[in-house]
Amino acid sequence: MAQFCKQCGTAHAPDARFCDECGKAVNAVNAAPAPSPAPAATPALSGVKRRHVVIAGGALAAVIVAGGALAWLLAPEAASASSFGRAIDAHLAADEAARDKLLCLSNLPYQKEEIRVASYDSSTRQWLDILVRGGLYSAPVEQSSGGWITQSQFVYALSAPGKAALRGDKLCVAKGVKVAKVSGYEQVREMGGRPTAMATATLALSDEAAWLVKSPDRAQILQRLPGGGLEVQLPLALVDKQWQVTD
């Protein structure tokens, strides 16, 4: 079947490549369509970037937390029951003399093997009778003195548990003490350029003496302690950002 040149209309053979009349190329192989551009590759580092963002966020949070903790550590200790109790406990644990002043009795020469009491000294006899019931002394023995005027005395002999209860020449009811309740932290005032307060603490015995635990007169014995029982008043001041007992 004859084909015609699109340029001049002259017929040419089906397999002809050029028009014999005008020379225009005929039956040219259609050029292959240009390949469409490949879509841009998605960056492979998107996951890495996300991890970097997460890590950076975590580091920032850690810095904020660390900064808050540092600010808390550097801030002065607040006046509270907890801070006052800690200060008093630390003071009594470190100062043996102050602790013994609260826990030990020195109203009699307890270090002696015997204590002699005149028959008319009823107050001392009543106290020693309490210690007899606690097992620290043997029952008193009445003796009479010679001379022009006969006088009777009661002799109290120190027992083995009594010797064990001594600390030097003092009779002690426990080895330690802890703050059970404290007040005074509500009334802080400036004195000498620093916050101060007068704390009142109610104390509880720790490692109480066995003889006191068993004594039927425990309450009376505790009332004989210096200060009239387990309550003490101590001055406190804010020193180096911490509350401490001061002299």
Side-chain angles (χ1 to χ4, degrees):
M1 181 178 178
Q3 294 183 355
F4 300 92
C5 175
K6 293 181 181 180
Q7 178 72 23
C8 63
T10 304
H12 60 79
D15 56 351
R17 297 186 62 189
F18 298 96
C19 177
D20 292 337
E21 182 64 29
C22 66
K24 180 175 175 58
V26 295
N27 290 331
V29 179
N30 292 331
S36 58
T42 303
L45 295 179
S46 59
V48 175
K49 289 182 178 179
R50 281 196 297 272
R51 286 196 297 273
H52 286 173
V53 170
V54 171
I55 292 171
L60 179 59
V63 169
I64 293 173
V65 171
L70 182 61
W72 179 81
L73 288 173
L74 295 177
E77 188 176 30
S80 65
S82 175
S83 60
F84 276 32
R86 177 205 55 74
I88 295 171
D89 281 342
H91 167 70
L92 295 177
D95 192 334
E96 183 178 356
R99 189 170 65 250
D100 285 357
K101 187 176 180 180
L102 293 171
L103 299 176
C104 300
L105 294 156
S106 58
N107 57 320
L108 290 174
Y110 293 107
Q111 76 279 10
K112 290 186 175 182
E113 292 289 335
E114 294 180 345
I115 295 180
R116 296 176 177 269
V117 184
S119 58
Y120 58 81
D121 190 354
S122 59
S123 176
T124 302
R125 286 177 56 197
Q126 286 174 3
W127 169 243
L128 285 170
D129 287 342
I130 287 175
L131 299 184
V132 168
R133 290 193 291 272
L136 302 185
Y137 286 85
S138 60
V141 176
E142 186 176 6
Q143 294 181 351
S144 297
S145 62
W148 291 100
I149 301 176
T150 302
Q151 291 184 341
S152 63
Q153 292 182 330
F154 289 88
V155 180
Y156 293 82
L158 187 65
S159 66
K163 292 178 182 179
L166 296 180
R167 193 140 67 228
D169 59 350
K170 301 179 182 68
L171 177 64
C172 300
V173 300
K175 291 184 179 178
V177 69
K178 291 281 186 181
V179 173
K181 185 173 66 175
V182 65
S183 61
Y185 54 87
E186 316 92 335
Q187 298 177 352
V188 176
R189 59 179 181 172
E190 290 286 330
M191 183 178 292
R194 63 184 182 183
T196 61
M198 180 61 72
T200 300
T202 301
L203 307 174
L205 300 179
S206 59
D207 201 1
E208 186 173 338
W211 69 267
L212 180 63
V213 174
K214 298 176 182 177
S215 174
D217 306 293
R218 182 179 184 275
Q220 288 179 265
I221 294 169
L222 293 180
Q223 285 298 319
R224 286 273 186 156
L225 291 174
L230 295 173
E231 188 170 279
V232 63
Q233 282 193 323
L234 292 169
L236 274 74
L238 193 62
V239 181
D240 295 331
K241 299 183 179 181
Q242 279 197 321
W243 285 100
Q244 298 181 20
V245 174
T246 57
D247 296 330

PDB file of all heavy atoms in Angstrom, residues 33-47:
ATOM      1  N   PRO A  33      10.618   7.722  24.191  1.00  0.00           N
ATOM      2  CA  PRO A  33      10.314   8.826  25.102  1.00  0.00           C
ATOM      3  C   PRO A  33      11.377   8.944  26.183  1.00  0.00           C
ATOM      4  O   PRO A  33      11.913   7.956  26.664  1.00  0.00           O
ATOM      5  CB  PRO A  33       8.961   8.436  25.697  1.00  0.00           C
ATOM      6  CG  PRO A  33       8.879   6.942  25.538  1.00  0.00           C
ATOM      7  CD  PRO A  33       9.613   6.625  24.286  1.00  0.00           C
ATOM      8  N   ALA A  34      11.656  10.178  26.437  1.00  0.00           N
ATOM      9  CA  ALA A  34      12.681  10.434  27.466  1.00  0.00           C
ATOM     10  C   ALA A  34      12.196   9.882  28.798  1.00  0.00           C
ATOM     11  O   ALA A  34      11.028  10.015  29.141  1.00  0.00           O
ATOM     12  CB  ALA A  34      12.940  11.931  27.569  1.00  0.00           C
ATOM     13  N   PRO A  35      13.068   9.201  29.456  1.00  0.00           N
ATOM     14  CA  PRO A  35      12.653   8.629  30.757  1.00  0.00           C
ATOM     15  C   PRO A  35      12.275   9.754  31.716  1.00  0.00           C
ATOM     16  O   PRO A  35      12.895  10.804  31.726  1.00  0.00           O
ATOM     17  CB  PRO A  35      13.895   7.873  31.228  1.00  0.00           C
ATOM     18  CG  PRO A  35      15.042   8.522  30.514  1.00  0.00           C
ATOM     19  CD  PRO A  35      14.514   8.969  29.193  1.00  0.00           C
ATOM     20  N   SER A  36      11.207   9.452  32.450  1.00  0.00           N
ATOM     21  CA  SER A  36      10.769  10.460  33.433  1.00  0.00           C
ATOM     22  C   SER A  36      11.790  10.514  34.571  1.00  0.00           C
ATOM     23  O   SER A  36      12.378   9.499  34.926  1.00  0.00           O
ATOM     24  CB  SER A  36       9.386  10.100  33.963  1.00  0.00           C
ATOM     25  OG  SER A  36       9.424   8.812  34.553  1.00  0.00           O
ATOM     26  N   PRO A  37      12.004  11.691  35.047  1.00  0.00           N
ATOM     27  CA  PRO A  37      13.002  11.811  36.137  1.00  0.00           C
ATOM     28  C   PRO A  37      12.594  10.989  37.350  1.00  0.00           C
ATOM     29  O   PRO A  37      11.428  10.923  37.711  1.00  0.00           O
ATOM     30  CB  PRO A  37      13.018  13.310  36.461  1.00  0.00           C
ATOM     31  CG  PRO A  37      11.692  13.806  35.986  1.00  0.00           C
ATOM     32  CD  PRO A  37      11.337  12.973  34.780  1.00  0.00           C
ATOM     33  N   ALA A  38      13.587  10.328  37.937  1.00  0.00           N
ATOM     34  CA  ALA A  38      13.320   9.508  39.143  1.00  0.00           C
ATOM     35  C   ALA A  38      12.942  10.416  40.294  1.00  0.00           C
ATOM     36  O   ALA A  38      13.466  11.512  40.423  1.00  0.00           O
ATOM     37  CB  ALA A  38      14.572   8.692  39.500  1.00  0.00           C
ATOM     38  N   PRO A  39      11.981   9.963  41.086  1.00  0.00           N
ATOM     39  CA  PRO A  39      11.600  10.794  42.248  1.00  0.00           C
ATOM     40  C   PRO A  39      12.781  10.967  43.195  1.00  0.00           C
ATOM     41  O   PRO A  39      13.623  10.081  43.325  1.00  0.00           O
ATOM     42  CB  PRO A  39      10.469   9.990  42.904  1.00  0.00           C
ATOM     43  CG  PRO A  39      10.680   8.583  42.449  1.00  0.00           C
ATOM     44  CD  PRO A  39      11.264   8.670  41.065  1.00  0.00           C
ATOM     45  N   ALA A  40      12.818  12.119  43.741  1.00  0.00           N
ATOM     46  CA  ALA A  40      13.920  12.421  44.671  1.00  0.00           C
ATOM     47  C   ALA A  40      13.905  11.427  45.826  1.00  0.00           C
ATOM     48  O   ALA A  40      12.850  11.108  46.370  1.00  0.00           O
ATOM     49  CB  ALA A  40      13.779  13.847  45.200  1.00  0.00           C
ATOM     50  N   ALA A  41      15.063  10.911  46.134  1.00  0.00           N
ATOM     51  CA  ALA A  41      15.171   9.916  47.210  1.00  0.00           C
ATOM     52  C   ALA A  41      14.898  10.572  48.561  1.00  0.00           C
ATOM     53  O   ALA A  41      15.340  11.679  48.826  1.00  0.00           O
ATOM     54  CB  ALA A  41      16.569   9.286  47.206  1.00  0.00           C
ATOM     55  N   THR A  42      14.117   9.871  49.356  1.00  0.00           N
ATOM     56  CA  THR A  42      13.860  10.372  50.712  1.00  0.00           C
ATOM     57  C   THR A  42      15.138  10.261  51.524  1.00  0.00           C
ATOM     58  O   THR A  42      15.791   9.225  51.503  1.00  0.00           O
ATOM     59  CB  THR A  42      12.763   9.533  51.379  1.00  0.00           C
ATOM     60  OG1 THR A  42      11.600   9.587  50.566  1.00  0.00           O
ATOM     61  CG2 THR A  42      12.462  10.051  52.791  1.00  0.00           C
ATOM     62  N   PRO A  43      15.536  11.301  52.208  1.00  0.00           N
ATOM     63  CA  PRO A  43      16.792  11.247  52.975  1.00  0.00           C
ATOM     64  C   PRO A  43      16.782  10.056  53.926  1.00  0.00           C
ATOM     65  O   PRO A  43      15.841   9.826  54.657  1.00  0.00           O
ATOM     66  CB  PRO A  43      16.822  12.571  53.742  1.00  0.00           C
ATOM     67  CG  PRO A  43      15.903  13.470  52.986  1.00  0.00           C
ATOM     68  CD  PRO A  43      14.868  12.599  52.357  1.00  0.00           C
ATOM     69  N   ALA A  44      17.852   9.279  53.865  1.00  0.00           N
ATOM     70  CA  ALA A  44      17.952   8.078  54.699  1.00  0.00           C
ATOM     71  C   ALA A  44      18.275   8.409  56.139  1.00  0.00           C
ATOM     72  O   ALA A  44      18.230   7.542  56.995  1.00  0.00           O
ATOM     73  CB  ALA A  44      19.031   7.151  54.132  1.00  0.00           C
ATOM     74  N   LEU A  45      18.606   9.681  56.427  1.00  0.00           N
ATOM     75  CA  LEU A  45      19.036  10.035  57.776  1.00  0.00           C
ATOM     76  C   LEU A  45      17.902  10.566  58.628  1.00  0.00           C
ATOM     77  O   LEU A  45      18.134  11.073  59.713  1.00  0.00           O
ATOM     78  CB  LEU A  45      20.159  11.086  57.701  1.00  0.00           C
ATOM     79  CG  LEU A  45      21.465  10.619  57.059  1.00  0.00           C
ATOM     80  CD1 LEU A  45      22.453  11.767  57.028  1.00  0.00           C
ATOM     81  CD2 LEU A  45      22.040   9.427  57.792  1.00  0.00           C
ATOM     82  N   SER A  46      16.636  10.467  58.115  1.00  0.00           N
ATOM     83  CA  SER A  46      15.540  11.025  58.885  1.00  0.00           C
ATOM     84  C   SER A  46      15.431  10.353  60.256  1.00  0.00           C
ATOM     85  O   SER A  46      15.201  11.000  61.269  1.00  0.00           O
ATOM     86  CB  SER A  46      14.230  10.893  58.118  1.00  0.00           C
ATOM     87  OG  SER A  46      13.973   9.524  57.841  1.00  0.00           O
ATOM     88  N   GLY A  47      15.596   9.016  60.287  1.00  0.00           N
ATOM     89  CA  GLY A  47      15.554   8.304  61.567  1.00  0.00           C
ATOM     90  C   GLY A  47      16.675   8.736  62.475  1.00  0.00           C
ATOM     91  O   GLY A  47      16.499   8.890  63.686  1.00  0.00           O
TER      92      GLY A  47
END
